Structure formats: structure tokens, C-alpha cells
Amino acid sequence: MVVLAKPPPALDQISLLRCPQPGDAASFFGVPAVDLSSPGAALAVVDACERFGFFKVVNHGVPTGVVDRLEAEAVRFFASPQADKDACGPANPLGYGNKRIGRNGDMGWLEYLLLALDGASSVSKASPVPSSSLRDAVNQYVAAVRGLATSVLEAVAEGLGVAPRDALSGMVTDAASDQVFRINHYPACPLLQRLPDSCGVTGFGEHTDPQLVSVLRSNGTAGLQVALHDDGGRWVPVPPDRDAFFVIVGDSLQVLTNGRLKSVRHRVVANSLKPRVSMIYFAGPAPAQRIAPLPQVLGHGEQSLYRDFTWGDYKKAAYRSRLGDNRLDPFRIQ
Ligand SMILES: C=C1C[C@]23C[C@H]1CC[C@H]2[C@@]12CCC[C@@](C)(C(=O)O1)[C@H]2[C@@H]3C(=O)O
Ligand SMILES: O=C(O)CCC(=O)C(=O)O
């Protein structure tokens, strides 16, 4: 193994990470797996969101064909000539992005397509899409995962004893809701083999998602890591599962539950041998939606930990932040 004093130029501007070593971080084989149709699912969802802000949904009923069709479209798009991909970019914030994430200098070893969805959860007219076949595949996929996000939020409401059942899910099914969809491609990064073993290359830098929940599906390539809430925020690799959907608790759900459910910091490290393809549906509310603890989650005399804000306020602040910032801090009381 050649140990470089300096990263190769292709990795300039992309942060290197100190990666968990085999031995100092067991993979997160304990990621809770929930079958939403099983008895006890609501309590299992709440328990997982409280402990980890993260779990996976199994036996979800989303047809494999819907997922495979979108993955094939994505692979085809990312394999197309660079000029065709650039024609859908640069992402500002929507469209094709290459290495640059957001507007404030974050970089990762990936390319992606970021799309906004309209009130009917179809790809919005404002989003540049490379082909009608990719658009159709996204629309069909999103219809299925939005249903899953809705079921998760209903389970959260039920598990927390919040009525009506759609108190949370209604925020994302609202015709004015702000839903975003992203397809990421992390090319294999052979340069990694020239770095010390303890070094990783940032695929997608650590962050929390600002929305209520995100639903993630990836191919079988490892790379996703989550920070554990206890244990000093230790990073643990999540074993890939192409047949499951991972659910990520976002900052808005943390506030709506007054911190009972916690958003989870997550990141992706590049893989030296295999490309990773992931697709994420981000379930956000309408811009005018007030993000404040639901009265039923507040115990007797319990005050909100956050000052009042709308999703529009939070999103605006998010777009001014760096990826890894703690975006909730400025909204915390005290
Ligand atoms: C540095 C960034 C990049 C942001 C905005 C800002 C802070 C958080 C990032 C995300 C994370 C969740 C999806 C996304 C679409 C979102 O809503 O917030 C991302 C967005 C982008 O990738 O453009
Ligand atoms: O690719 C992944 O698995 C996660 C990507 C991610 O966190 C994001 O797109 O916000």
C-alpha cells in the first residue's frame, strides 16, 4: 500500500474521513426492521425513531419492478455522455449536479439528479429531466414511496397517541407540500486504494435531513453510515439491503415531537470497487406549515424546546447553511 502525503488531485476539495476500522466499529446489524402491517408496528416505529432516528421497512409491498425500472433508468442516465448530463444542470438547487452539493461549497464523490415534485407528487415542470421514460419511472416510484412515508407517519402518530391519525402524514399529502426526490450515483473510487486504510473519501458529507422523514433505497453497495445517538455519535456502517427501504427521521419531525424523535446524522463514504446508486424521497410539508410540537406530545407543563417557525423559514435557513451544520441549533430556545 502506497501512503500518500497528499490526496491525489482528483480528490482535491473532497474531504477525507477517518473511517471506522474493522474492529473499532461493528456494522450496524442491529438496524431495526419493521413490517408496517404487523401488530405492534406503531410502537416499533416510535421506538426505532427515538433510539436511532433510523430503521428499515421490510415486507413493504412495493413491487420490485417499480424499483428496478427506476434503477435501470438511473444507471442509463449516469452512463450517458457528460454533455447530456450537463444539459440537465448545474443543480441550483434542482437538476444534475456533479460533486458540488448545495450552494455553499460542499463537495462529494458523487453525481446526482435532484427533482422537485408537484402537489400530485409528479416530477414538477421546473425540474430538468433527461427523458420522459425517466420521468415516468420516477413518478411511478414516488407514488409508491410516498405511500410508505405516509404509513410511517401514521404509525408515528398512533405510537405517540396523537390524533387524528393523519396529524403528521397530512402535512406531506397536502397539495402544497414540498417534496423532493434525489437519485445519487457514487462512482467506484479506485484512488481510495492509494490512501491509508484508515482513510475514507466523502461520498456525501454528514448531515441531517431538514424534512419530516426521508425514504432511502440503494443498490447492494455499502457506503451509508449513521451516527448513533448515544455512544458519543459513533459512526456505524449500515449493511446495504436492496430489498428494504430505510427511513431517516428529519429535523422537522424532531421539532414536531419536541425532541422525542431525533433526526439522525448520516453520510456516505465512497467505495473503491463498486458504484453505489441510491434514491431518496424527502417528505417535506407546505411552506406555510407551522413546525411546532404537536400539543398531544407535550406533557403537562412541558414547553416547546424550539421557537416557532414555518417550513418556509427553515428551508430558507437550510439553503444558507453548510451541509454538516446543526441547522436546528439557531431555532432552539436558550
Ligand atoms: C448544503 C445543503 C444541501 C441541501 C440544502 C443545504 C442543507 C441540507 C441539504 C439537503 C439535505 C436533504 C435533501 C436536500 C434536497 C434538502 O432539502 O436539504 C439537500 C440540499 C441539497 O442537496 O441541495
Ligand atoms: O446515498 C445515500 O445513501 C444517502 C444520500 C443522502 O443522504 C442524501 O442524498 O441526502
Side-chain angles (χ1 to χ4, degrees):
M1 157 89 47
V2 183
V3 177
L4 298 175
K6 202 166 155 269
L11 297 180
D12 253 10
Q13 296 182 286
I14 297 186
S15 326
L16 300 181
L17 300 164
R18 203 203 142 263
C19 260
Q21 289 299 288
D24 72 14
S27 272
F28 187 20
F29 288 113
V31 40
V34 180
D35 175 342
L36 292 172
S37 61
S38 68
L43 290 178
V45 166
V46 168
D47 182 61
C49 294
E50 285 180 340
R51 289 166 60 210
F52 304 111
F54 185 76
F55 64 96
K56 68 179 179 181
V57 178
V58 294
N59 296 330
H60 43 72
V62 175
T64 327
V66 172
V67 179
D68 290 349
R69 178 181 174 205
L70 180 57
E71 186 174 326
E73 284 290 343
V75 168
R76 190 145 58 116
F77 169 64
F78 291 119
S80 66
Q82 191 60 45
D84 294 357
K85 294 189 279 186
D86 288 340
C88 295
N92 184 27
L94 304 176
Y96 171 75
N98 194 356
K99 298 198 176 74
R100 291 176 197 286
I101 299 168
R103 299 164 171 161
N104 302 315
D106 290 289
M107 307 275 283
W109 186 259
L110 87 164
E111 53 179 348
Y112 61 86
L113 192 61
L114 182 56
L115 305 170
L117 305 170
D118 64 20
S121 296
S122 299
V123 174
S124 79
K125 301 253 181 309
S127 300
V129 272
S131 65
S132 56
S133 56
L134 188 137
R135 177 192 293 274
D136 293 347
V138 171
N139 287 344
Q140 191 187 29
Y141 177 91
V142 164
V145 290
R146 189 181 80 151
L148 207 136
T150 307
S151 306
V152 166
L153 290 170
E154 285 176 359
V156 169
E158 184 187 329
L160 290 174
V162 167
R165 196 177 158 74
D166 68 354
L168 293 164
S169 62
M171 294 182 193
V172 305
T173 52
D174 184 319
S177 66
D178 183 15
Q179 311 159 73
V180 186
F181 186 67
R182 168 180 223 137
I183 310 176
N184 295 316
H185 171 226
Y186 306 86
C189 182
L191 288 169
L192 252 173
Q193 288 163 345
R194 297 171 54 202
L195 297 173
D197 280 351
S198 56
C199 247
V201 165
T202 301
F204 207 113
E206 65 172 280
H207 65 285
T208 60
D209 292 345
Q211 291 81 359
L212 273 80
V213 285
S214 315
V215 179
L216 165 84
R217 190 265 170 193
S218 74
N219 67 354
T221 302
L224 179 67
Q225 303 185 344
V226 295
L228 297 179
H229 286 151
D230 43 21
D231 209 0
R234 183 163 65 89
W235 285 103
V236 283
V238 176
D241 183 347
R242 44 176 302 123
D243 299 321
F245 290 97
F246 291 93
V247 175
I248 295 171
V249 172
D251 298 336
S252 296
L253 191 55
Q254 175 168 330
V255 175
L256 287 158
T257 60
N258 209 28
R260 217 175 125 178
L261 273 48
K262 289 195 182 57
S263 61
V264 62
R265 285 182 96 71
H266 53 286
R267 68 182 184 188
V268 174
V269 293
N271 190 293
S272 64
L273 299 173
K274 285 164 52 189
R276 173 178 172 88
V277 176
S278 64
M279 9 204 177
I280 311 200
Y281 166 74
F282 301 97
Q289 174 68 50
R290 181 171 172 253
I291 309 293
L294 298 169
Q296 287 141 309
V297 301
L298 292 176
H300 187 67
E302 185 183 340
Q303 301 290 315
S304 172
L305 299 171
Y306 307 91
R307 53 186 178 80
D308 250 33
F309 60 90
T310 64
W311 168 247
D313 299 330
Y314 197 57
K315 186 171 172 173
K316 200 160 9 127
Y319 274 96
R320 284 199 294 260
S321 68
R322 292 293 299 257
L323 194 56
D325 286 350
N326 185 327
R327 279 173 280 281
L328 274 181
D329 263 357
F331 291 87
R332 225 176 277 269
I333 290 172
Q334 278 149 26

